[in-house]
Amino acid sequence: MSKVGISSQGPRRILLADCDMFFVQVARLEDPEGAGREPLLLVGGRSNRGVITSASYAAREYGVRSGMPTSRARQLCPEAVVVPVPRGACVERSRAIRAVLEDLSPVVQAASIDEFYLDLTGTERLFKGEDLAATADRIRMTVHDRTGVAVSLGGGAQRVVAKVATRLAKPNGVHVVPPGGEAAFMSRFPLAALPGIGPAFLERLAAKGLRTAADAAAVEGEWLARWFGPRRGAWLWERVRGIDASEVDARERRKSISSERTFFADIDDDEELERRLLELSCSVGSQLRGKELRARTITVKIRDYDFRTRQAGGTQPDGIETDRAIFAVALSLLHTLRHRRNAGVRLLGVGVSNLVQQAPVTQGDLFGEQATLETARDRTIARAVDRIRNRYGREALRPARVLDRPEE
C-alpha cells in the first residue's frame, strides 16, 4: 500500500488557495465605481479580435469562458462590459496575497499568479488541534480581510487532491478531503478534470473507453502500462487514486516563460511573421537571462484567423539563453507550422520550458568553443547587451531586422 502523503508527523496537511475569477476581482477593486458595479463583467481584449482572460460568474452563466474570442463572448452575453486586464494591479495583489499566506503557513509555493499551495503539516499543536477545514476557513477570511480578494481553498494529504477539491470549494468556500478518502473522492470526476491530462491524452483514454477516474481506476495497472506505456500508465494509476508524491516547495523555480502577441490585423506574410517572432524571442531571452536560467525546450504557438490554435515544440540537448539561439529554434518551428497550414495569423507566441540553472561563462570557454547552437561568446555578448539595455532602455539596442519592420 502506498505511503505517499504520510509523514513522520502523520498525514500531510496541504491546501491550495485559488483566487476566484482573479482578474475580474482585481478589475473591480481597481475601479469600484465602474467595473465594480458591473455584474456581467469580462476582462481581456476589448476589440473583437481579442480574447477573454476572465469572466464574472454571472457572465459564465451565458456560456462565456476564459480563452473565448471576445466577439463570441459578446454574442453570448451582449450586455456584458469588457475591460482590459489590469496587469500591474494583478501582480501587486498576487504579491500581497502571498505575503498574507506566508504569515499563516510555514511553506507557501506559488503555482501561478492566482494559485498558491500551502503545506501545514505539523501545525496541529500550533493551531491548538484545529482541523484542516477550520484552518482553511480562517485563512480564507484572513486573505479577504487583508487584500480584498476572495479565495477558495481545497485541501487534503496530496497536492493533486487539494487541486481538484478547489472545484467543489468555489466560489469563496472550502472543501477538504479527509486522509483515506482520496480514491473515493477522485472517482467522482471526469478524467478531463484531473491536472496533467490534456486533450491528446483524453482522446487516447476515450479510445479505450475511459472517461472518468472511476473508469481508469477499474483497470489493472498492467493494462494501463500496456496501453499508455510503463511511465504514463503508472502515473495514471496513481493519479486516479489521488496519490501524489510531489512536495510543496517554496523554492521551486518557474517552469516556463512565454511571450505572445495578438495582432490588429491577420498576418499572412512569412517575412513579417519572422520579424514578429524575432521580437518575441528577444523578449523571452531577456527574461531568461534576467532570472539566470537557460531553456532546453522551445515552443511556438500560433492562432489562425479562424481561432484554430496550433503549436510545435523542440527540445535541445543543452540549455540555451541567447536571443539568436532561441530565434533559430523558433524559426524552424514556425516554418513547420506554416507548412502544415498556411493561413492568416492573428496571434503568435514563443515559450520556453525545461528550464535549467545558468552556468557562468569562463575565459577558457571563449577560446575553446565547439560548433553548437549557442557558444560561450554568444552568451557573453547577450549579457553585455542586457547591461546596456538595463542602463539606457530597451530601445537602446535592437536587431536590425526588427527596426526594418514597417509601422502598424
Side-chain angles (χ1 to χ4, degrees), residues 198-211:
F201 193 22
L202 278 176
E203 290 183 6
R204 296 182 62 192
L205 291 163
K208 298 297 183 182
L210 308 180
R211 291 178 172 78

Side-chain angles (χ1 to χ4, degrees), residues 14-16 117 153-156 158-166:
I14 295 175
L15 296 172
L16 174 63
Y117 282 101
L153 290 100
Q158 320 278 353
R159 277 177 51 137
V160 66
V161 172
K163 171 70 173 179
V164 177
T166 59

Side-chain angles (χ1 to χ4, degrees), residues 156-189:
Q158 320 278 353
R159 277 177 51 137
V160 66
V161 172
K163 171 70 173 179
V164 177
T166 59
R167 297 174 66 93
L168 301 185
K170 288 180 173 290
N172 194 28
V174 168
H175 189 93
V176 172
V177 179
E182 293 86 0
F185 171 74
M186 298 294 283
S187 69
R188 328 166 45 169
F189 294 94

Side-chain angles (χ1 to χ4, degrees), residues 358-381:
Q358 189 183 75
V361 176
T362 64
Q363 189 69 20
D365 292 335
L366 297 175
F367 300 98
E369 297 172 351
Q370 298 178 348
T372 61
L373 181 64
E374 177 179 275
T375 66
R377 182 174 181 273
D378 293 331
R379 293 166 180 158
T380 299
I381 292 172

